[in-house]
Amino acid sequence: MTTVLVWAGVVLIGGVGSVTRFLVDRTVTRRAGRPFPVGTLVVNISGAALLGFLGGLALSKDAALLAGTAFVGAYTTFSTWMLETQRLGEERRTFAEIANIVVSVVLGMGAALLGQWLAEQL
């Protein structure tokens, strides 16, 4: 059974994850200076690597909930990725739209596998 303390941790750590996402996305987007949603791409790829790493560790149920669901779940963003992809389509930037999907999935899978492999080496 999940305790009140764990739920409070989910709220706090989830908040940290979402603020971290905002800061990373904004920083990367400013530095890239391109209309392609590279900030969201960096957030989701780094989140996939982190979640793969956490999945490769022998975490307790509560630790996995706090680290994986609360932080990484709040840090990564499927909805923003899809909205940005849809907007690329609206702008008739078909190559960028398809690239956003393919690159995100391929790099995301690779990052998750790499993170898991790294954790298993510990």
Side-chain angles (χ1 to χ4, degrees):
M1 179 167 199
T2 307
T3 66
V4 172
L5 187 59
V6 171
W7 281 107
V10 168
V11 170
L12 293 172
I13 294 170
V16 170
S18 64
V19 170
T20 304
R21 175 183 70 219
F22 173 78
L23 294 173
V24 170
D25 186 349
R26 188 172 79 176
T27 300
V28 169
T29 299
R30 281 184 179 169
R31 289 190 180 170
R34 297 178 183 210
F36 188 82
V38 71
T40 300
L41 179 66
V42 168
V43 164
N44 286 340
I45 301 309
S46 61
L50 180 57
L51 193 57
F53 182 80
L54 294 170
L57 299 175
L59 297 177
S60 70
K61 179 183 163 195
D62 287 343
L65 175 70
L66 293 172
T69 303
F71 182 80
V72 179
Y75 174 67
T76 57
T77 175
F78 180 83
S79 56
T80 301
W81 173 48
M82 285 295 98
L83 179 62
E84 290 170 343
T85 302
Q86 185 265 336
R87 286 188 178 157
L88 290 170
E90 282 182 350
E91 296 168 359
R92 300 194 189 282
R93 297 180 57 213
T94 305
F95 179 78
E97 177 185 24
I98 293 168
N100 196 34
I101 294 168
V102 172
V103 169
S104 294
V105 171
V106 170
L107 291 182
M109 289 295 297
L113 290 170
L114 177 62
Q116 183 176 9
W117 179 82
L118 288 171
E120 291 169 353
Q121 303 311 303
L122 297 178

